[in-house]
Amino acid sequence: MSTGSNLFAEPGLQQITVWARGVVMNKDARDIVVALAEAAAREGKYVQAWENYVDLPDRVYVPVRAYARISTDPIESKYIYENETPDIIILVEETLVKGVPVLRGLRKGGVLVVNTRRSPEEILSFLGDTGNLETLVTVDASSLSTAVTTLSGAEGATDATGIGAGIAAPLAGAVVKATGIVSLENLAAVVKNPEAMRRGYELARVTRLETKGAAQEVAVSAGELLKQLPFAGTVPSPVSENEGMVTGNWRMQRPVLDQEACTSCDTCWIYCPDSCITRTDEGPTFNLKYCKGCGICEEVCPSGAISLVPELNFKD
Amino acid sequence: MLERIPSIRKAPDEEYYVPGHRTCAGCGPALAYRLTAKAAGPNTIFIGPTGCMYVANTSYGCGPWRVPWIHAQITNGGAVASGIEAAFKVLARKKKYQGEIPHVIVFAGDGGAVDIGLQALSGMLYRGHDVLFICYDNESYANTGIQTSPTTPYGAWTTFTPAGPAVPEGKKLFPKDNPKVVAHGHPELKYLATASIGWPVDLMNKVRKGLNAEGPAYLHIQAPCPKGWQFPPNKTIEMAKLAVQTGMFQLYEYENGEYKLSVKMEERKPVAEYLKLQKRFAHLQPEHIEKLQAFVDARCAEVGITVPAVASAR
Ligand SMILES: Cc1ncc(C[n+]2csc(CCOP(=O)(O)OP(=O)(O)O)c2C)c(N)n1
Ligand code: SF4
Ligand code: SF4
Ligand code: SF4
Ligand SMILES: [Mg+2]
């Protein structure tokens, strides 16, 4: 073996990265990697499955990752924290295609599986340069099963709700259809809802793409990040926004104002936990760079002047 | 002196807790922080003991405070604040600092105020430091994944009080009443109040009164936590309002030796109307709800909320 980036070159290894929304879909993300890893273990593979420590503790709607590694040989890179060059990427929720660098580091021949009702073309329109992406899989997993939200199992606690009771099962089924990474039978043996898993397999729509060949930007390594970090001590205070933590890509639904109905009462303004509303003579304006789409403004408005619209209905 | 804020419309525009933090969507404590910072204004120093409002706000070497902020251990918010306040006093006395003495505010969780941080809080109050100590009460050790704290209500599920065959109600103990602990044992205390993010103007005015008081002040803010209480993030304000309307949390203040309730209520809603919206209470049986209702009735009577609980017409 040579040195540098080839140090951990493992030809028999497949890296799987699942993206989801914190708290509300954390369990389903974890279940996908655990189910695929356990199914592969039944086939004599070497496996790992874990949640990305950097994303913990998870917060409601924050993008979070769960990882699996499946290999024909003992995994040498098992102490590397993150999957830096995934082969398969799974999005538990569709708006993750917008503003989240989900394809970063994707290897040649890469596969992307998205839980969505939208067409592959529409999903592609948000992804921009798809680089190494060769296969896009779309499946409406949310219609096949219900997401399971539980705090059990987070950060190492015990989870008694079972693996793959929710939308993890159909999504794992869709992965198998596009990649054959494990057999359907072995996956069925480990998930709690094999019926939904099979439906996910059947209904998954597989689109083969022309790969652009251009290598995806590789994730910044943990070592690099460490060098960029200030070591404790003092950092400057922000004045109008904290650009170190831009949260607009947490948003699944966007607040939209009906100016006619607004009475400029400022109720929405006072209650936004993220200081994302500015009051003007024409009513509130929303700071979409940071708005997390919590929906409080819509909920507290006494005049029904705010509605929440799916984020993917907007191109910007 | 900080002036009274008469209404939402007249509340100041300036934000000192700016956009860009990793708190949950719909985080109640984040709103409490924003309102506190807005009320306190530019000449403020925050002390942030470990908890969500430290960890979620400061990810990756940055934070959302436009004013100085310093991290303290979860145990010692009161001690760090005491040191900062005392240092400013000494510097001013020695003419090494000529500016206006800043407001010093500790913003601690219920763990950092009511449990593991209680002795530093008590010491600070006892010695009479001119500090406003705020407990943002999300009713659990939230940052570490929702473990029970002394303010977690009876009957709530947490990862340390799971409901099961042996203990069907989840948490068995009734909560510690920290405002009561603080009020009755600290002769130097100048101001004490409870507040809720559901009443933002009242909350901001209580922050200002606490800061205007010459000496230690304690403010206990109930701040619903969508992650730990398990309700959708758009319901945070509704949860805060229901907590007060059911009497689960009572709003009052203690100022210049005078005690008064903060909101007028015609009647209370039964606690069941609050419990049913939060998954942390989903396992409760009717006998547990009755037990909790009886506890709340007694606690309301104790603080002077005499109106009965009446089920809303359906
Ligand atoms: C002495 C000590 N014990 C334990 C911890 C781990 N810890 C970090 S945050 C936290 C929870 C704090 O709870 P609370 O003060 O209620 O704030 P919240 O996270 O709920 O906002 C704990 C237990 C710690 N940092 N220090
Ligand atoms: S949805 Fe509304 S309340 Fe929530 S962060 Fe966005 S603007 Fe603020
Ligand atoms: S709460 Fe509704 S009516 Fe009031 S300012 Fe906001 S949008 Fe307008
Ligand atoms: S866990 Fe609760 S207190 Fe912590 S960031 Fe989330 S909502 Fe806020
Ligand atoms: Mg807490």
Side-chain angles (χ1 to χ4, degrees), chain A residues 242-281:
Chain A
N242 174 26
E243 289 209 89
M245 183 50 64
V246 177
T247 49
N249 64 7
W250 296 28
R251 191 174 59 246
M252 293 183 281
Q253 292 194 299
R254 180 185 290 197
V256 174
L257 179 72
D258 171 0
Q259 235 187 61
E260 295 291 296
C262 174
T263 62
S264 295
C265 69
D266 295 350
T267 307
C268 54
W269 168 75
I270 200 73
Y271 282 124
C272 173
D274 289 85
S275 327
C276 281
I277 298 179
T278 307
R279 42 185 183 175
T280 73
D281 291 341

Side-chain angles (χ1 to χ4, degrees), chain B residues 66-107:
Chain B
R66 193 171 154 185
V67 294
W69 172 95
I70 183 173
H71 173 229
Q73 299 309 311
I74 186 172
T75 50
N76 70 357
V80 172
S82 299
I84 291 172
E85 182 260 10
F88 268 101
K89 271 194 177 149
V90 169
L91 289 173
R93 192 173 70 224
K94 294 187 173 173
K95 306 255 182 305
K96 290 182 177 167
Y97 178 79
Q98 258 100 42
E100 207 176 309
I101 305 265
H103 306 306
V104 180
I105 304 179
V106 185
F107 205 79

